[in-house]
């Protein structure tokens, strides 16, 4: 996959956005024509094009959240949300303000921040039938993109759970978020490291003006899982089996930068070399447990673990259950 393709938005996401217009009884072809898009979008579109589509649908519906909440998020609400959180002291304070704002504006689903020892989770609760994956994902994009901009770095996502069933194009969700994703869960939630809640907010009114001029395309692109230095490291590592991965110093040299520069750039994106290696091992492990019949010992060896017990401990830390339990859960889903 080329860098250009990695910065594109899947056609399944475009189709879901257009469905919001169809459900309101509005035609899609005039809007697509204005954006120079074909009547049926079968190829990925750029983040800029999808951002234009988002704004156009928001104008048609007078709803910046695609008509997916209990009440419309009327045009201008996102700007007000940004002003509401701009002068928060920390990420935690900004998140709590943002959730209160969205709860008042949308009515439902209602979001709350649940803080644990290692993981903070944003839970979305709803009394009605599950909403679409697109509805929950749009909520995450708004909240995650804004808070990433506030702290000036990507907030790595550790888990994503959807209350709804898996839509077509489920793999597009994994690529977008870069985290373990589970569907048909009791509550929709997004989790990240709780230590990040203490990050300070330092953005000016002038910076906000620049941010809003480029939104929402900037949050679709800049804070995606597959953009930036961490993504470049991830792509290099993914080309080899884990036992053959280079040392950090060798990798930095291959990327034509010093180890300290690479370490600093990863830190700015909320990442580290060790964490990226763990993420790749986690994704490989989940795929092999779900798609193959290999034993846990064979999977551990493939991932570069000298002892299966070390893999057990790592997997339970990543996913919350043992490899066998994960395989059983996936088989029954």
């Amino acid at each position: 996959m080329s860098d250009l393709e990695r910065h594109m938005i899947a056609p399944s996401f475009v189709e879901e956005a257009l469905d919001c217009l169809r459900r309101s009884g509005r035609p899609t072809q005039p809007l697509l024509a204005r954006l120079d898009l074909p009547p049926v979008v079968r190829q990925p579109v750029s983040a800029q094009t999808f951002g234009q589509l988002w704004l156009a649908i928001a104008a048609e519906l007078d709803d910046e959240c695609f008509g997916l909440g209990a009440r419309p998020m009327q045009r201008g609400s996102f700007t007000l949300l940004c002003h509401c959180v701009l002068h928060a002291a920390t990420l935690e304070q900004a998140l709590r303000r943002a959730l209160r704002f969205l709860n008042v504006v949308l009515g439902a689903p209602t979001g709350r921040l649940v803080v644990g020892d290692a993981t903070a989770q944003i839970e979305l609760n709803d009394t009605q039938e599950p909403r679409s994956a697109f509805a929950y994902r749009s909520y995450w994009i708004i909240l995650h993109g804004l808070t990433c901009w506030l702290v000036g770095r990507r907030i790595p996502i550790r888990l994503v759970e959807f209350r709804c069933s898996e839509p077509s194009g489920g793999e597009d969700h994994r690529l977008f978020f870069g985290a373990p994703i589970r569907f048909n869960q009791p509550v929709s939630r997004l989790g990240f490291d709780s230590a990040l809640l203490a990050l300070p907010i330092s953005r000016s009114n002038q910076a906000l003006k620049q941010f809003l001029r480029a939104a929402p395309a900037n949050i679709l692109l800049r804070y995606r899982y597959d953009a930036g230095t961490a993504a470049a490291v991830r792509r290099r590592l993914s080309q080899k089996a884990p036992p053959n991965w280079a040392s950090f110093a060798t990798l930095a040299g291959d990327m034509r930068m010093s180890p300290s520069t690479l370490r600093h750039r990863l830190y700015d994106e909320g990442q580290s070399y060790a964490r990226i290696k763990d993420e790749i091992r986690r994704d490989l492990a989940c795929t092999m447990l779900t798609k193959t019949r290999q034993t846990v010992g064979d999977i551990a060896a493939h991932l570069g673990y000298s002892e299966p017990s070390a893999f057990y401990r790592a997997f339970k830390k990543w996913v919350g259950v043992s490899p066998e339990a994960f395989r059983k859960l996936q088989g029954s889903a």
Side-chain angles (χ1 to χ4, degrees), residues 41-328:
V41 179
R42 294 191 173 91
Q43 299 297 323
V45 302
S46 69
Q48 287 76 15
T49 297
F50 190 83
Q52 292 170 352
L53 178 67
W54 190 323
L55 294 175
I57 292 175
E60 288 278 344
L61 302 177
D62 192 19
D63 189 339
E64 294 179 336
C65 203
F66 299 100
L68 299 171
R71 294 194 291 264
M73 184 174 173
Q74 294 180 329
R75 294 172 70 193
S77 297
F78 182 71
T79 296
L80 290 175
L81 170 60
C82 292
H83 283 286
C84 177
V85 301
L86 181 62
H87 298 299
T90 64
L91 175 60
E92 179 173 4
Q93 188 179 62
L95 272 173
R96 293 191 186 279
R97 288 183 184 179
L99 290 170
R100 286 199 299 272
F101 181 96
L102 291 170
N103 289 346
V104 170
V105 170
L106 294 174
T110 57
R112 67 176 186 137
L113 178 64
V114 180
V115 183
D117 291 338
T119 305
Q121 297 183 6
I122 300 166
E123 293 185 354
L124 295 183
N125 294 279
D126 212 337
T127 56
Q128 70 166 41
E129 291 298 307
R131 299 176 192 271
S132 67
F134 182 70
Y136 297 124
R137 189 180 68 246
S138 298
Y139 190 106
W140 301 138
I141 288 173
I142 291 171
L143 193 60
H144 183 252
L146 172 57
T147 51
C148 285
W149 174 77
L150 285 170
V151 298
R153 55 188 277 189
R154 185 178 190 277
I155 300 168
I157 298 169
R158 298 299 171 221
L159 65 90
V160 183
E161 294 183 351
F162 290 90
R163 187 170 167 232
C164 60
S165 58
E166 182 171 357
S168 60
E171 181 63 18
D172 294 330
H173 289 72
R174 190 207 64 79
L175 180 61
F176 191 91
F177 287 112
I181 291 181
R182 298 174 64 186
F183 294 90
N184 295 306
Q185 299 304 301
V187 175
S188 293
R189 57 167 59 92
L190 179 144
F192 57 94
D193 292 349
S194 57
L196 298 176
L197 291 171
L199 289 174
I201 306 299
S202 180
R203 290 291 190 178
S204 66
N205 288 317
Q206 182 59 38
L208 176 58
K209 290 179 182 178
Q210 295 173 351
F211 171 71
L212 289 171
R213 277 198 292 268
N218 53 354
I219 59 178
L220 288 165
L221 178 59
R222 182 174 180 184
Y223 299 115
R224 281 184 58 153
Y225 165 76
D226 53 3
T229 301
V233 171
R234 194 175 289 110
R235 289 194 289 273
R236 285 177 178 269
L237 293 182
S238 297
Q239 294 170 1
K240 297 180 179 180
N244 299 324
W245 283 343
S247 68
F248 186 76
T250 299
L251 176 67
D254 292 341
M255 297 180 71
R256 299 187 178 183
M257 64 182 79
S258 68
S260 61
T261 298
L262 178 56
R263 187 174 295 107
H264 180 73
R265 290 186 181 180
L266 291 175
Y267 176 81
D268 285 345
E269 295 180 16
Q271 282 285 7
S272 69
Y273 188 49
R275 179 165 285 171
I276 292 170
K277 290 191 293 184
D278 276 350
E279 288 175 350
I280 296 174
R281 287 192 178 106
R282 176 202 67 204
D283 290 347
L284 287 172
C286 290
T287 298
M288 296 173 76
L289 287 166
T290 305
K291 305 295 185 182
T292 77
R293 295 182 176 271
Q294 292 189 53
T295 67
V296 172
D298 288 341
I299 294 173
H302 178 81
L303 297 179
Y305 291 94
S306 57
E307 296 290 338
S309 58
F311 170 59
Y312 268 82
R313 291 192 296 272
F315 190 84
K316 194 164 185 180
K317 180 180 178 182
W318 298 332
V319 181
V321 297
S322 69
E324 291 93 346
F326 178 82
R327 177 173 266 170
K328 185 176 180 180

